[in-house]
Amino acid sequence: MGRIRWWALPCAALVLAGAAPVAVAEQVRDGRSQPVFAAEPVRETVWVETGLDGDGDGVIDRVAADIARPAGTDQPVPVIMDASPYYSCCGRGNENEFKTYDDQGRPLGFPLFYDNYFVPRGYATVLVDLAGTNRSEGCVDVGGPSDITSAKAVIDWLNGRATGFDAATGGNPVGAGWSTGDVGMIGKSYDGTIANGVAATGVEGLRTIVPIGAISSWYDYYRSDGVSFGFDPVGLAQNVEEGGRPDCHQVKQELVAGAPTNGDATPLWTERDYVPTADRVTASVFAVHGLGDLNVKTVQFGPWWDALAAKDVPRKLWLSQTGHVDPFDFRRAEWVDTLHRWFDRWLLGIDNGITEEPAASIERAPDTWADEPGWSGEQAQATTLHPREDGLGTEPAPGGTASFTDDPSLDEYDWAARPDQQSPARTLFSTAPLSGDLRLAGTGSVTVTAVPSTPTAHLSAMLVDYGPATTRDYLGQGEGIRTLQTESCWGESRPGDDACYKDTEATTTDVDFEIIARGWADLANHESLSAERPLEPGKRYAMTFRLATTDHVVPAGHQLALIIGGTDSAFIVAPRQPGQIGLDLAQTSVTLPVVGGLPAVTSARVDAAANKPPQVRPDRVPARPEVQLNRD
């Protein structure tokens, strides 16, 4: 028999410990679940079998699921789950909270506000230690079968399809009769990535996911179209395992072998790409991503969203100007309210109208948001602009070439800071000041026909909005927010589990340009990302590579520029033999995702008084990132 949904039982009663029965109608009032479960929650740990033996000890691995659920009711409740590798190594949230336990080893402190806020409203909160982390057995494999299965197994247990125990080894079987089996997964970064990966299995019982700054392809986290970002998954695995587990040596060796430093795509990366199986997703999706996120870059969001849209998965989207920041810390009150109604709709079945509200919300200026019925990036028109000797325009170049010499000591900020000056290390093509606003929303690409002077060549490309603006300071230490000393509380505080968090505010900066999309590639992978080919100096090679997903309005009067260079030292590793690269302009272009049409675009001639190249004041150059990129 399937799980009973309590909202389908209008005559049932919800019983509080030590209190009179509470009618269902009292728990749901004004279209929202109410905090009627005032008793101390039941807090327990269940160890769930994953069906895997990642550490090779001959025993099926068990993962620890720490649970907080309403006490005093015999009606089953749905689950909000955050499956994470960070509960003991690194902490969660802006204040780096860790799990804590009492003297008997029972869970006490739950990071983040989910248990404080939602358990009194009739939800259980389940925080899962991914395999190989904290109190779970097994090994971390960075988005692979072990990671995904260890979270999916808990959903299976909640639905009666897997076995749980009251101890890490041995112990007695434990069921989840208190649960409806309906699960919503949520989490930022690695946690949200696991939500994406589990949803892509199509597991029954997962009703919604809320991925925040999440990965959809681990290849795109560590590599980009054949180039390496200079770090590898084994380092992250060892970090979350708090130094690495000796019995997981074989798994680490497989990570090293499967992730070659040359940037080639391999079966290891294919296994960790959730986009191709997005057609299995049955859960609704509420995605959040920072357009300034240079850790989990926006290329993670765009293809995943496109795949969900192709299947018409119920979905909602927030795009902020921040970097790698949780919406609890950049739009707190609105976030808690929206998340509350989202979970009420998909886990409690409350018809509260949230699916009829604007589905997309985009931050256009610090703390200024624009709503639209659906994300316009889904209707963007692919529009091609062409680099020319006189700038960037709609007409292909009649001919001509450009060239640059790869200088691995420079980066994109060096290239963009002096657009009115020639540079041997990059080429820059700019429009004249735009006659109207230009909105780019979606994932673009660059096509080059390049001639290398050495057997190895790396390429970097970026779109730059030149013109004065005030933006969130997403390159600064807080990635667009500042933590204050005041606090606000969200839910019930209990001994050892505080519901109060420091407030935040937006940090802003005045700039004369903003890099709005980036992409990198190894020209040796022009035929295939799975195998590079040595380049023949002097030979022409054609290659198309992606730019990161964006949603940006270039205002009228600003200028849009395309920069193409070699090694962007802020992100990628230099080739073995950096050299000069020539571009055939007639066979080079940029494809933009344009919403609402392209305003009149003319090239900016360096020698034309009416169309001067962009100008940048030295005091209004964006700072290089102060944050450590690719930290989780």
Side-chain angles (χ1 to χ4, degrees), residues 305-306 309 372 374-384 438-444 549-552 591-598:
W305 186 266
D306 290 345
E372 51 190 33
W375 186 46
S376 293
E378 296 177 20
Q379 286 77 46
Q381 296 297 311
T383 304
T384 301
L438 169 61
R439 180 179 175 187
L440 306 178
T443 308
T549 308
T550 189
D551 191 326
H552 182 86
T591 300
L592 308 176
V594 175
V595 175
L598 188 71

PDB file of all heavy atoms in Angstrom, residues 305-306 309 372 374-384 438-444 549-552 591-598:
ATOM      1  N   TRP A 305      18.901  23.974 -16.814  1.00  0.00           N
ATOM      2  CA  TRP A 305      17.599  24.615 -16.939  1.00  0.00           C
ATOM      3  C   TRP A 305      16.986  24.351 -18.318  1.00  0.00           C
ATOM      4  O   TRP A 305      15.788  24.071 -18.437  1.00  0.00           O
ATOM      5  CB  TRP A 305      17.734  26.111 -16.695  1.00  0.00           C
ATOM      6  CG  TRP A 305      16.402  26.814 -16.670  1.00  0.00           C
ATOM      7  CD1 TRP A 305      15.775  27.432 -17.707  1.00  0.00           C
ATOM      8  CD2 TRP A 305      15.533  26.943 -15.544  1.00  0.00           C
ATOM      9  NE1 TRP A 305      14.566  27.952 -17.302  1.00  0.00           N
ATOM     10  CE2 TRP A 305      14.398  27.667 -15.984  1.00  0.00           C
ATOM     11  CE3 TRP A 305      15.606  26.528 -14.221  1.00  0.00           C
ATOM     12  CZ2 TRP A 305      13.340  27.974 -15.124  1.00  0.00           C
ATOM     13  CZ3 TRP A 305      14.544  26.838 -13.373  1.00  0.00           C
ATOM     14  CH2 TRP A 305      13.433  27.545 -13.821  1.00  0.00           C
ATOM     15  N   ASP A 306      17.799  24.431 -19.356  1.00  0.00           N
ATOM     16  CA  ASP A 306      17.300  24.179 -20.706  1.00  0.00           C
ATOM     17  C   ASP A 306      16.740  22.765 -20.819  1.00  0.00           C
ATOM     18  O   ASP A 306      15.708  22.546 -21.467  1.00  0.00           O
ATOM     19  CB  ASP A 306      18.415  24.379 -21.729  1.00  0.00           C
ATOM     20  CG  ASP A 306      18.828  25.841 -21.877  1.00  0.00           C
ATOM     21  OD1 ASP A 306      18.077  26.726 -21.415  1.00  0.00           O
ATOM     22  OD2 ASP A 306      19.916  26.087 -22.431  1.00  0.00           O
ATOM     23  N   ALA A 309      13.442  22.652 -19.062  1.00  0.00           N
ATOM     24  CA  ALA A 309      12.426  23.361 -19.846  1.00  0.00           C
ATOM     25  C   ALA A 309      11.955  22.510 -21.018  1.00  0.00           C
ATOM     26  O   ALA A 309      10.774  22.526 -21.381  1.00  0.00           O
ATOM     27  CB  ALA A 309      12.984  24.688 -20.339  1.00  0.00           C
ATOM     28  N   GLU A 372       9.074  38.003 -13.980  1.00  0.00           N
ATOM     29  CA  GLU A 372       8.467  37.728 -15.273  1.00  0.00           C
ATOM     30  C   GLU A 372       7.772  36.372 -15.222  1.00  0.00           C
ATOM     31  O   GLU A 372       8.142  35.516 -14.400  1.00  0.00           O
ATOM     32  CB  GLU A 372       9.503  37.784 -16.396  1.00  0.00           C
ATOM     33  CG  GLU A 372      10.752  36.978 -16.182  1.00  0.00           C
ATOM     34  CD  GLU A 372      11.822  37.291 -17.224  1.00  0.00           C
ATOM     35  OE1 GLU A 372      11.907  38.439 -17.687  1.00  0.00           O
ATOM     36  OE2 GLU A 372      12.569  36.368 -17.570  1.00  0.00           O
ATOM     37  N   GLY A 374       7.742  33.654 -16.971  1.00  0.00           N
ATOM     38  CA  GLY A 374       8.682  32.555 -17.121  1.00  0.00           C
ATOM     39  C   GLY A 374      10.016  33.150 -17.521  1.00  0.00           C
ATOM     40  O   GLY A 374      10.074  34.287 -18.012  1.00  0.00           O
ATOM     41  N   TRP A 375      11.096  32.402 -17.319  1.00  0.00           N
ATOM     42  CA  TRP A 375      12.391  32.991 -17.628  1.00  0.00           C
ATOM     43  C   TRP A 375      12.507  33.244 -19.118  1.00  0.00           C
ATOM     44  O   TRP A 375      12.355  32.336 -19.947  1.00  0.00           O
ATOM     45  CB  TRP A 375      13.524  32.095 -17.161  1.00  0.00           C
ATOM     46  CG  TRP A 375      14.861  32.746 -17.328  1.00  0.00           C
ATOM     47  CD1 TRP A 375      15.200  34.021 -16.982  1.00  0.00           C
ATOM     48  CD2 TRP A 375      16.037  32.162 -17.895  1.00  0.00           C
ATOM     49  NE1 TRP A 375      16.518  34.275 -17.301  1.00  0.00           N
ATOM     50  CE2 TRP A 375      17.057  33.158 -17.865  1.00  0.00           C
ATOM     51  CE3 TRP A 375      16.328  30.916 -18.428  1.00  0.00           C
ATOM     52  CZ2 TRP A 375      18.336  32.915 -18.339  1.00  0.00           C
ATOM     53  CZ3 TRP A 375      17.602  30.670 -18.896  1.00  0.00           C
ATOM     54  CH2 TRP A 375      18.596  31.665 -18.847  1.00  0.00           C
ATOM     55  N   SER A 376      12.784  34.496 -19.484  1.00  0.00           N
ATOM     56  CA  SER A 376      12.848  34.873 -20.894  1.00  0.00           C
ATOM     57  C   SER A 376      14.007  34.219 -21.626  1.00  0.00           C
ATOM     58  O   SER A 376      14.016  34.169 -22.863  1.00  0.00           O
ATOM     59  CB  SER A 376      12.951  36.398 -21.026  1.00  0.00           C
ATOM     60  OG  SER A 376      11.758  37.014 -20.587  1.00  0.00           O
ATOM     61  N   GLY A 377      14.982  33.712 -20.882  1.00  0.00           N
ATOM     62  CA  GLY A 377      16.072  33.000 -21.532  1.00  0.00           C
ATOM     63  C   GLY A 377      15.608  31.805 -22.342  1.00  0.00           C
ATOM     64  O   GLY A 377      16.295  31.361 -23.266  1.00  0.00           O
ATOM     65  N   GLU A 378      14.431  31.263 -21.995  1.00  0.00           N
ATOM     66  CA  GLU A 378      13.902  30.131 -22.747  1.00  0.00           C
ATOM     67  C   GLU A 378      13.440  30.540 -24.146  1.00  0.00           C
ATOM     68  O   GLU A 378      13.303  29.696 -25.034  1.00  0.00           O
ATOM     69  CB  GLU A 378      12.741  29.496 -21.978  1.00  0.00           C
ATOM     70  CG  GLU A 378      13.159  28.893 -20.649  1.00  0.00           C
ATOM     71  CD  GLU A 378      11.984  28.346 -19.871  1.00  0.00           C
ATOM     72  OE1 GLU A 378      10.934  28.083 -20.490  1.00  0.00           O
ATOM     73  OE2 GLU A 378      12.096  28.201 -18.640  1.00  0.00           O
ATOM     74  N   GLN A 379      13.164  31.835 -24.329  1.00  0.00           N
ATOM     75  CA  GLN A 379      12.708  32.318 -25.642  1.00  0.00           C
ATOM     76  C   GLN A 379      13.761  33.162 -26.357  1.00  0.00           C
ATOM     77  O   GLN A 379      13.480  33.779 -27.384  1.00  0.00           O
ATOM     78  CB  GLN A 379      11.429  33.149 -25.489  1.00  0.00           C
ATOM     79  CG  GLN A 379      10.179  32.348 -25.199  1.00  0.00           C
ATOM     80  CD  GLN A 379      10.098  31.891 -23.758  1.00  0.00           C
ATOM     81  OE1 GLN A 379      10.330  32.681 -22.855  1.00  0.00           O
ATOM     82  NE2 GLN A 379       9.773  30.623 -23.535  1.00  0.00           N
ATOM     83  N   ALA A 380      14.973  33.211 -25.821  1.00  0.00           N
ATOM     84  CA  ALA A 380      16.016  34.026 -26.437  1.00  0.00           C
ATOM     85  C   ALA A 380      16.313  33.547 -27.860  1.00  0.00           C
ATOM     86  O   ALA A 380      16.264  32.350 -28.152  1.00  0.00           O
ATOM     87  CB  ALA A 380      17.281  33.989 -25.594  1.00  0.00           C
ATOM     88  N   GLN A 381      16.629  34.502 -28.729  1.00  0.00           N
ATOM     89  CA  GLN A 381      16.966  34.189 -30.113  1.00  0.00           C
ATOM     90  C   GLN A 381      18.485  34.206 -30.289  1.00  0.00           C
ATOM     91  O   GLN A 381      19.154  35.180 -29.925  1.00  0.00           O
ATOM     92  CB  GLN A 381      16.327  35.214 -31.051  1.00  0.00           C
ATOM     93  CG  GLN A 381      14.812  35.196 -31.034  1.00  0.00           C
ATOM     94  CD  GLN A 381      14.240  33.879 -31.530  1.00  0.00           C
ATOM     95  OE1 GLN A 381      14.628  33.373 -32.587  1.00  0.00           O
ATOM     96  NE2 GLN A 381      13.306  33.315 -30.762  1.00  0.00           N
ATOM     97  N   ALA A 382      19.015  33.125 -30.844  1.00  0.00           N
ATOM     98  CA  ALA A 382      20.457  33.065 -31.114  1.00  0.00           C
ATOM     99  C   ALA A 382      20.795  34.093 -32.195  1.00  0.00           C
ATOM    100  O   ALA A 382      20.265  34.037 -33.306  1.00  0.00           O
ATOM    101  CB  ALA A 382      20.854  31.673 -31.554  1.00  0.00           C
ATOM    102  N   THR A 383      21.632  35.042 -31.834  1.00  0.00           N
ATOM    103  CA  THR A 383      21.969  36.158 -32.723  1.00  0.00           C
ATOM    104  C   THR A 383      23.483  36.254 -32.852  1.00  0.00           C
ATOM    105  O   THR A 383      24.191  36.263 -31.843  1.00  0.00           O
ATOM    106  CB  THR A 383      21.403  37.479 -32.167  1.00  0.00           C
ATOM    107  OG1 THR A 383      19.987  37.327 -31.980  1.00  0.00           O
ATOM    108  CG2 THR A 383      21.675  38.639 -33.102  1.00  0.00           C
ATOM    109  N   THR A 384      23.969  36.341 -34.072  1.00  0.00           N
ATOM    110  CA  THR A 384      25.406  36.303 -34.305  1.00  0.00           C
ATOM    111  C   THR A 384      25.961  37.697 -34.575  1.00  0.00           C
ATOM    112  O   THR A 384      25.411  38.449 -35.387  1.00  0.00           O
ATOM    113  CB  THR A 384      25.742  35.383 -35.481  1.00  0.00           C
ATOM    114  OG1 THR A 384      25.261  34.069 -35.195  1.00  0.00           O
ATOM    115  CG2 THR A 384      27.242  35.314 -35.720  1.00  0.00           C
ATOM    116  N   LEU A 438      20.034  46.200 -24.618  1.00  0.00           N
ATOM    117  CA  LEU A 438      20.256  44.873 -25.181  1.00  0.00           C
ATOM    118  C   LEU A 438      20.244  43.872 -24.031  1.00  0.00           C
ATOM    119  O   LEU A 438      21.105  43.921 -23.157  1.00  0.00           O
ATOM    120  CB  LEU A 438      21.592  44.805 -25.917  1.00  0.00           C
ATOM    121  CG  LEU A 438      22.084  43.412 -26.334  1.00  0.00           C
ATOM    122  CD1 LEU A 438      21.104  42.744 -27.291  1.00  0.00           C
ATOM    123  CD2 LEU A 438      23.481  43.493 -26.950  1.00  0.00           C
ATOM    124  N   ARG A 439      19.244  42.982 -24.033  1.00  0.00           N
ATOM    125  CA  ARG A 439      19.192  41.950 -22.990  1.00  0.00           C
ATOM    126  C   ARG A 439      19.714  40.636 -23.540  1.00  0.00           C
ATOM    127  O   ARG A 439      19.253  40.147 -24.580  1.00  0.00           O
ATOM    128  CB  ARG A 439      17.776  41.748 -22.467  1.00  0.00           C
ATOM    129  CG  ARG A 439      17.704  40.677 -21.363  1.00  0.00           C
ATOM    130  CD  ARG A 439      16.325  40.480 -20.819  1.00  0.00           C
ATOM    131  NE  ARG A 439      16.287  39.373 -19.870  1.00  0.00           N
ATOM    132  CZ  ARG A 439      15.182  38.876 -19.328  1.00  0.00           C
ATOM    133  NH1 ARG A 439      13.997  39.403 -19.641  1.00  0.00           N
ATOM    134  NH2 ARG A 439      15.232  37.859 -18.470  1.00  0.00           N
ATOM    135  N   LEU A 440      20.690  40.096 -22.838  1.00  0.00           N
ATOM    136  CA  LEU A 440      21.226  38.777 -23.146  1.00  0.00           C
ATOM    137  C   LEU A 440      20.806  37.834 -22.025  1.00  0.00           C
ATOM    138  O   LEU A 440      21.069  38.107 -20.852  1.00  0.00           O
ATOM    139  CB  LEU A 440      22.756  38.824 -23.248  1.00  0.00           C
ATOM    140  CG  LEU A 440      23.340  39.849 -24.222  1.00  0.00           C
ATOM    141  CD1 LEU A 440      24.868  39.808 -24.177  1.00  0.00           C
ATOM    142  CD2 LEU A 440      22.841  39.598 -25.637  1.00  0.00           C
ATOM    143  N   ALA A 441      20.131  36.735 -22.377  1.00  0.00           N
ATOM    144  CA  ALA A 441      19.671  35.782 -21.366  1.00  0.00           C
ATOM    145  C   ALA A 441      19.764  34.380 -21.939  1.00  0.00           C
ATOM    146  O   ALA A 441      19.024  34.023 -22.854  1.00  0.00           O
ATOM    147  CB  ALA A 441      18.236  36.093 -20.941  1.00  0.00           C
ATOM    148  N   GLY A 442      20.693  33.612 -21.413  1.00  0.00           N
ATOM    149  CA  GLY A 442      20.896  32.265 -21.908  1.00  0.00           C
ATOM    150  C   GLY A 442      22.373  31.957 -22.057  1.00  0.00           C
ATOM    151  O   GLY A 442      23.226  32.641 -21.475  1.00  0.00           O
ATOM    152  N   THR A 443      22.680  30.954 -22.843  1.00  0.00           N
ATOM    153  CA  THR A 443      24.047  30.474 -23.012  1.00  0.00           C
ATOM    154  C   THR A 443      24.524  30.759 -24.425  1.00  0.00           C
ATOM    155  O   THR A 443      23.926  30.282 -25.392  1.00  0.00           O
ATOM    156  CB  THR A 443      24.119  28.968 -22.723  1.00  0.00           C
ATOM    157  OG1 THR A 443      23.532  28.698 -21.449  1.00  0.00           O
ATOM    158  CG2 THR A 443      25.558  28.483 -22.740  1.00  0.00           C
ATOM    159  N   GLY A 444      25.578  31.539 -24.543  1.00  0.00           N
ATOM    160  CA  GLY A 444      26.134  31.884 -25.843  1.00  0.00           C
ATOM    161  C   GLY A 444      27.336  31.027 -26.184  1.00  0.00           C
ATOM    162  O   GLY A 444      27.708  30.099 -25.460  1.00  0.00           O
ATOM    163  N   THR A 549      26.379  30.921 -19.022  1.00  0.00           N
ATOM    164  CA  THR A 549      25.023  31.448 -19.068  1.00  0.00           C
ATOM    165  C   THR A 549      24.962  32.802 -18.368  1.00  0.00           C
ATOM    166  O   THR A 549      25.622  33.022 -17.351  1.00  0.00           O
ATOM    167  CB  THR A 549      24.062  30.470 -18.379  1.00  0.00           C
ATOM    168  OG1 THR A 549      24.252  29.164 -18.943  1.00  0.00           O
ATOM    169  CG2 THR A 549      22.623  30.896 -18.550  1.00  0.00           C
ATOM    170  N   THR A 550      24.173  33.713 -18.919  1.00  0.00           N
ATOM    171  CA  THR A 550      24.038  35.040 -18.323  1.00  0.00           C
ATOM    172  C   THR A 550      22.594  35.504 -18.409  1.00  0.00           C
ATOM    173  O   THR A 550      21.779  34.914 -19.136  1.00  0.00           O
ATOM    174  CB  THR A 550      24.964  36.047 -19.035  1.00  0.00           C
ATOM    175  OG1 THR A 550      24.979  37.276 -18.303  1.00  0.00           O
ATOM    176  CG2 THR A 550      24.494  36.315 -20.455  1.00  0.00           C
ATOM    177  N   ASP A 551      22.272  36.527 -17.659  1.00  0.00           N
ATOM    178  CA  ASP A 551      21.042  37.310 -17.842  1.00  0.00           C
ATOM    179  C   ASP A 551      21.419  38.730 -17.476  1.00  0.00           C
ATOM    180  O   ASP A 551      21.516  39.093 -16.311  1.00  0.00           O
ATOM    181  CB  ASP A 551      19.903  36.798 -16.969  1.00  0.00           C
ATOM    182  CG  ASP A 551      18.565  37.425 -17.366  1.00  0.00           C
ATOM    183  OD1 ASP A 551      18.561  38.611 -17.775  1.00  0.00           O
ATOM    184  OD2 ASP A 551      17.527  36.742 -17.271  1.00  0.00           O
ATOM    185  N   HIS A 552      21.655  39.543 -18.502  1.00  0.00           N
ATOM    186  CA  HIS A 552      22.226  40.868 -18.293  1.00  0.00           C
ATOM    187  C   HIS A 552      21.655  41.835 -19.322  1.00  0.00           C
ATOM    188  O   HIS A 552      21.506  41.487 -20.497  1.00  0.00           O
ATOM    189  CB  HIS A 552      23.747  40.812 -18.426  1.00  0.00           C
ATOM    190  CG  HIS A 552      24.425  42.116 -18.173  1.00  0.00           C
ATOM    191  ND1 HIS A 552      24.790  42.541 -16.909  1.00  0.00           N
ATOM    192  CD2 HIS A 552      24.810  43.107 -19.028  1.00  0.00           C
ATOM    193  CE1 HIS A 552      25.369  43.731 -17.001  1.00  0.00           C
ATOM    194  NE2 HIS A 552      25.380  44.101 -18.267  1.00  0.00           N
ATOM    195  N   THR A 591      27.942  34.063 -30.846  1.00  0.00           N
ATOM    196  CA  THR A 591      26.494  33.867 -30.886  1.00  0.00           C
ATOM    197  C   THR A 591      25.918  34.228 -29.523  1.00  0.00           C
ATOM    198  O   THR A 591      26.332  33.665 -28.495  1.00  0.00           O
ATOM    199  CB  THR A 591      26.137  32.418 -31.251  1.00  0.00           C
ATOM    200  OG1 THR A 591      26.683  32.131 -32.546  1.00  0.00           O
ATOM    201  CG2 THR A 591      24.644  32.221 -31.293  1.00  0.00           C
ATOM    202  N   LEU A 592      24.977  35.165 -29.524  1.00  0.00           N
ATOM    203  CA  LEU A 592      24.417  35.713 -28.301  1.00  0.00           C
ATOM    204  C   LEU A 592      22.965  35.287 -28.128  1.00  0.00           C
ATOM    205  O   LEU A 592      22.208  35.226 -29.107  1.00  0.00           O
ATOM    206  CB  LEU A 592      24.467  37.248 -28.330  1.00  0.00           C
ATOM    207  CG  LEU A 592      25.816  37.885 -28.648  1.00  0.00           C
ATOM    208  CD1 LEU A 592      25.657  39.407 -28.743  1.00  0.00           C
ATOM    209  CD2 LEU A 592      26.833  37.523 -27.580  1.00  0.00           C
ATOM    210  N   PRO A 593      22.531  35.020 -26.881  1.00  0.00           N
ATOM    211  CA  PRO A 593      21.120  34.738 -26.621  1.00  0.00           C
ATOM    212  C   PRO A 593      20.376  36.056 -26.388  1.00  0.00           C
ATOM    213  O   PRO A 593      20.373  36.606 -25.277  1.00  0.00           O
ATOM    214  CB  PRO A 593      21.165  33.888 -25.353  1.00  0.00           C
ATOM    215  CG  PRO A 593      22.389  34.374 -24.632  1.00  0.00           C
ATOM    216  CD  PRO A 593      23.373  34.829 -25.685  1.00  0.00           C
ATOM    217  N   VAL A 594      19.746  36.598 -27.405  1.00  0.00           N
ATOM    218  CA  VAL A 594      19.146  37.930 -27.358  1.00  0.00           C
ATOM    219  C   VAL A 594      17.657  37.826 -27.053  1.00  0.00           C
ATOM    220  O   VAL A 594      16.925  37.059 -27.696  1.00  0.00           O
ATOM    221  CB  VAL A 594      19.379  38.679 -28.684  1.00  0.00           C
ATOM    222  CG1 VAL A 594      18.639  40.018 -28.692  1.00  0.00           C
ATOM    223  CG2 VAL A 594      20.878  38.890 -28.907  1.00  0.00           C
ATOM    224  N   VAL A 595      17.204  38.618 -26.110  1.00  0.00           N
ATOM    225  CA  VAL A 595      15.790  38.686 -25.749  1.00  0.00           C
ATOM    226  C   VAL A 595      15.255  40.052 -26.163  1.00  0.00           C
ATOM    227  O   VAL A 595      15.846  41.092 -25.839  1.00  0.00           O
ATOM    228  CB  VAL A 595      15.594  38.491 -24.234  1.00  0.00           C
ATOM    229  CG1 VAL A 595      14.126  38.685 -23.847  1.00  0.00           C
ATOM    230  CG2 VAL A 595      16.087  37.117 -23.805  1.00  0.00           C
ATOM    231  N   GLY A 596      14.142  40.055 -26.886  1.00  0.00           N
ATOM    232  CA  GLY A 596      13.496  41.316 -27.225  1.00  0.00           C
ATOM    233  C   GLY A 596      14.067  42.025 -28.428  1.00  0.00           C
ATOM    234  O   GLY A 596      13.719  43.179 -28.693  1.00  0.00           O
ATOM    235  N   GLY A 597      14.944  41.385 -29.146  1.00  0.00           N
ATOM    236  CA  GLY A 597      15.480  41.992 -30.351  1.00  0.00           C
ATOM    237  C   GLY A 597      16.781  42.726 -30.140  1.00  0.00           C
ATOM    238  O   GLY A 597      17.111  43.173 -29.038  1.00  0.00           O
ATOM    239  N   LEU A 598      17.516  42.848 -31.222  1.00  0.00           N
ATOM    240  CA  LEU A 598      18.824  43.487 -31.201  1.00  0.00           C
ATOM    241  C   LEU A 598      18.681  44.951 -31.592  1.00  0.00           C
ATOM    242  O   LEU A 598      18.127  45.258 -32.649  1.00  0.00           O
ATOM    243  CB  LEU A 598      19.754  42.765 -32.189  1.00  0.00           C
ATOM    244  CG  LEU A 598      21.228  43.142 -32.198  1.00  0.00           C
ATOM    245  CD1 LEU A 598      21.905  42.641 -30.933  1.00  0.00           C
ATOM    246  CD2 LEU A 598      21.903  42.530 -33.428  1.00  0.00           C
TER     247      LEU A 598
END
